[in-house]
Amino acid sequence: MLSLTSGTELQRFRRGRLPRLAVAAMLLVPLLYGALYLWAFWNPTGHLDAMPVALVNADAGADRDGTRLTAGQDLTDTLTDGAALDWVVTDAADAAAGVRDGDYYFAVTIPTDFSADLASAGGDDPTAAQIDVTYNDANSFIGTTLGRTAMDHVRDAVAATAGEEAADQVLVGLGSARDGMLQAADGAVSLRDASEQLGAGAQQVADGATEAHDGAVRLASGAAALDAGTAQVSAGASQLADGTSRLADGAGSAAASSTSLAAGTRQLADGVHAAVQQVDALAGQLPALTGGLTQVTAYLSARASAGDTDAAALLAGLAGTDLPSAGAVATMTDQLDALDDGAERTASGAQSLSTGLGTLADSSSDLAGGASTLATGAQQTADGADSLVAGTDSLATGTATLADGAAQVADSTGQLGGGAQQLADGLTDGATQIPDDSDAQRTARADALATPVAIEDEDVAPAASLGEGFAPLFIPLALFVGGLITWLLLRPLPTRALATPASGWRVALAGYLPSLVIGAGQVLLLLGVVGFGLGLSVGHPAGTIAFLLLVAATFLAVQQMLLAVLGSAAGKVATIALLMLQITSASGTYPVETTPAFFQAIHPILPMTYAVEGLRDLITGTPDARLWRAVAYLVGLTIASLAVTAWKAGRLRTWTVARLHPALSI
């Protein structure tokens, strides 16, 4: 069975090292092309921290309620600590020059009044703070786009913090008003407490008054009882006096009518005398008096038994007589003395004595009743006095409670006045802290709160559209591909020129100049289509044409050199590989700082890097040192490439079998 390569086109690649390398190139170039692109642009946005960006903090700070506000420095610290970009803290002059020359992709400036604007949200002239950003599309259109996106995130983050600052400023007055309201609330609480204490004091006053009233009532009752007892004592005393008087009258009557007792007068006198003695002892011992009365009664009874009618009458008068009081006894003794004298003076007094003794018995009974009444009145007097004392105590207690309640009422009245004053002061302070804005101030304050931080963009060299942003890459890319196509059709070193004794320079130029004519045509045609057909706006048309002619000349010279040195087949493969390396490292799309280190290393030595830089300056209309650096590099590379081609042309004057029968040709 025939092998896969026998009798086929691949059979001629089996012999020699170069054909085998050609097969490897055919296999690896697509992989290299895809791998390089993916490698270069795998995650460019994940390496934005390598993009140098100028950061200028010109904020002068501000004072807010006695506290120093340095929002600019705080923002600077936050940005540099976050390292989302390669922030370079510098001054305004360096930032402007760096953005213009391409040292920085853009510059962020925190203006002088940044803190003051943030603090103004709570003041009379609220103003939104802003951050100034300067871009330069001549540095990198994608870099500017990435920068705008990054600054949007920065603005949102700063706006969130600044919004809190602005809201805090607005709420400072409301917070102070709240403090005043709290003071007013405290005053109201004090007022309420004072009212409660006043009510409690008033209640105590009422309770004290009630107790005082009850004590007064009891005092009046006691006084009434005392008065009633006193009246009863007086009545008893009157009755006692009446009884004593009646006893005296009876004794007189008994003495006057005792005529029939002449014979027993002496005995009666003796008995009376004994009775007097017993009555005298009655003051110290009433039982002895009672004994005396008993003897008198016995004597009279004996006389009555003897038939003495007067004694019988006297005995009847003494029947049921009770013991009189000491005073009555004393009086009765006097009367008995008088009776004794009368008995001795006249017998007729016996009858009167009998009658008087009867009266005396009645009076003695009355005297006993009066004495009892007097005792009852005295007890009532004591009871009334007790009630009077109790009422007086209650009155004193009620009066003390009344005094305490009155004092609390006075204190509460003072607290009530203080709480009312505190309430008034708190409400006044709170009212003065709330901003009294005009319509314009309210609108400005609302704007400041809604957009506390704004981004003020300035583009030194703006690209009008996405097409203009990518044109510095795609136009040189088109010219490089155009040169590749040109060398597919033209010979880099004409065979006829090599057969002449012409110098290597002449041979090199003989192949180079026709390609340069084609390249110039490509430049003019390309610019005509993208300019008039697509509307590409070019800042410096003449300079752009001249620069693109130089770019085309450089690309053609480099490609001619590769073809001359490496041969037709290997030179074309090397040219394609060079194209892939330049696309991925020229910084025509993403900033080169966001690509892997390999592409950053080859970035400054490949011609398309300078073609992109110079064309950006010309299209955006702001040529700077980078344009002249690109021109110098491209001119130098063109001359160097032609020199190598001329040297190789001189070497190719000698023909060999390998040249007559190359191992690989395209």
Side-chain angles (χ1 to χ4, degrees):
M1 179 180 295
L2 295 175
S3 64
L4 180 63
T5 59
S6 62
T8 65
E9 181 66 14
L10 292 178
Q11 186 175 4
R12 65 188 183 96
F13 290 93
R14 297 176 62 183
R15 296 186 301 273
R17 178 181 298 175
L18 189 59
R20 289 189 177 92
L21 292 176
V23 173
M26 287 186 290
L27 294 174
L28 295 177
V29 165
L31 173 63
L32 182 64
Y33 196 88
L36 283 176
Y37 268 96
L38 289 176
W39 185 24
F41 306 122
W42 186 258
N43 185 25
T45 57
H47 300 283
L48 296 181
D49 56 346
M51 288 178 57
V53 178
L55 178 58
V56 180
N57 178 23
D59 181 32
D63 291 326
R64 182 186 65 187
D65 297 332
T67 302
R68 189 63 180 170
L69 179 63
T70 56
Q73 187 59 50
D74 294 341
L75 175 57
T76 299
D77 295 339
T78 300
L79 293 178
T80 54
D81 292 343
L85 296 167
D86 183 13
W87 297 103
V88 179
V89 180
T90 184
D91 55 32
D94 178 70
V99 172
R100 184 178 61 253
D101 299 338
D103 296 331
Y104 307 120
Y105 281 94
F106 58 94
V108 177
T109 301
I110 303 172
T112 304
D113 53 1
F114 185 73
S115 293
D117 289 341
L118 286 180
S120 70
D124 296 332
D125 186 19
T127 304
Q130 73 176 31
I131 299 175
D132 299 330
V133 185
T134 303
Y135 299 101
N136 187 354
D137 288 351
N139 296 334
S140 171
F141 179 77
I142 294 296
T144 298
T145 303
L146 292 175
R148 293 181 190 277
T149 302
M151 287 310 301
D152 287 340
H153 292 298
V154 171
R155 179 197 58 201
D156 293 340
V158 175
T161 303
E164 294 176 359
E165 293 282 348
D168 179 68
Q169 286 303 298
V170 173
L171 293 177
V172 163
L174 296 179
S176 299
R178 175 182 177 275
D179 294 338
M181 297 301 182
L182 289 177
Q183 293 179 359
D186 292 339
V189 170
S190 299
L191 189 62
R192 181 203 64 192
D193 295 340
S195 299
E196 292 177 354
Q197 294 179 3
L198 182 61
Q203 184 61 44
Q204 291 182 0
V205 170
D207 294 342
T210 301
E211 292 182 10
H213 173 70
D214 294 341
V217 170
R218 289 195 296 272
L219 181 61
S221 298
L226 182 61
D227 181 69
T230 303
Q232 290 181 3
V233 169
S234 176
S238 297
Q239 290 179 3
L240 182 60
D242 291 342
T244 303
S245 178
R246 288 170 59 190
L247 180 61
D249 292 341
S253 296
S257 59
S258 295
T259 56
S260 59
L261 297 177
T265 298
R266 172 52 57 191
Q267 294 178 357
L268 178 61
D270 294 338
V272 171
H273 181 69
V276 168
Q277 291 177 349
Q278 292 176 356
V279 170
D280 289 336
L282 181 62
Q285 188 178 5
L286 289 179
L289 179 61
T290 302
L293 290 176
T294 301
Q295 292 178 2
V296 172
T297 301
Y299 172 75
L300 292 177
S301 178
R303 293 294 297 167
S305 297
D308 191 344
T309 57
D310 291 333
L314 182 59
L315 182 62
L318 290 175
T321 300
D322 293 330
L323 182 66
S325 65
V329 171
T331 302
M332 186 174 61
T333 299
D334 294 335
Q335 291 176 350
L336 288 175
D337 289 337
L339 180 61
D340 184 43
D341 293 338
E344 293 180 354
R345 288 192 302 269
T346 180
S348 62
Q351 184 63 39
S352 298
L353 176 61
S354 178
T355 303
L357 288 174
T359 304
L360 178 61
D362 294 337
S363 297
S364 297
S365 179
D366 293 338
L367 179 60
S372 177
T373 301
L374 180 61
T376 302
Q379 183 61 43
Q380 291 179 353
T381 300
D383 294 341
D386 291 340
S387 298
L388 179 62
V389 170
T392 303
D393 291 341
S394 298
L395 180 61
T397 302
T399 304
T401 303
L402 180 63
D404 292 339
Q408 292 186 14
V409 169
D411 293 340
S412 299
T413 302
Q415 295 179 5
L416 184 64
Q421 184 61 44
Q422 186 176 3
L423 176 62
D425 294 341
L427 291 175
T428 301
D429 292 341
T432 57
Q433 294 295 334
I434 299 176
D436 185 15
D437 290 347
S438 63
D439 292 340
Q441 285 177 318
R442 280 193 293 271
T443 301
R445 199 180 306 281
D447 292 340
L449 288 174
T451 309
V453 177
I455 299 296
E456 185 70 20
D457 290 345
E458 178 186 1
D459 206 323
V460 175
S465 64
L466 185 64
E468 290 185 7
F470 282 106
L473 171 65
F474 284 107
I475 290 178
L477 175 61
L479 293 178
F480 193 91
V481 174
L484 180 61
I485 299 299
T486 299
W487 291 120
L488 289 175
L489 301 176
L490 298 180
R491 295 176 179 175
L493 295 176
T495 305
R496 181 176 298 180
L498 289 174
T500 65
S503 64
W505 275 100
R506 294 188 61 182
V507 174
L509 291 175
Y512 176 73
L513 291 178
S515 68
L516 186 59
V517 174
I518 299 297
Q522 292 173 343
V523 168
L524 296 176
L525 185 60
L526 179 60
L527 284 179
V529 172
V530 298
F532 295 102
L534 300 179
L536 175 66
S537 177
V538 178
H540 295 275
T544 300
I545 294 174
F547 183 74
L548 287 179
L549 288 175
L550 175 60
V551 170
T554 303
F555 288 164
L556 289 169
V558 171
Q559 292 174 356
Q560 181 191 29
M561 176 192 67
L562 293 176
L563 293 171
V565 173
L566 300 177
S568 178
K572 290 181 175 63
V573 172
T575 301
I576 294 174
L578 178 61
L579 174 62
M580 292 183 289
L581 291 174
Q582 291 188 112
I583 293 174
T584 54
S585 64
S587 189
T589 53
Y590 290 99
V592 69
E593 289 84 359
T594 65
T595 61
F598 170 75
F599 299 100
Q600 298 183 42
I602 65 175
H603 170 76
I605 62 176
L606 298 179
M608 192 172 291
T609 296
Y610 299 92
V612 170
E613 285 185 355
L615 194 55
R616 278 176 178 160
D617 281 5
L618 290 166
I619 290 178
T620 57
T622 57
D624 53 33
R626 286 175 292 180
L627 173 62
W628 305 116
R629 182 178 61 193
V631 169
Y633 179 86
L634 293 176
V635 169
L637 182 60
T638 300
I639 295 173
S641 298
L642 289 175
V644 173
T645 302
W647 167 79
K648 187 62 176 179
R651 297 286 300 270
L652 292 177
R653 291 183 183 280
T654 303
W655 288 87
T656 62
V657 175
R659 286 186 61 200
L660 293 174
H661 302 283
L664 182 65
S665 63
I666 299 179

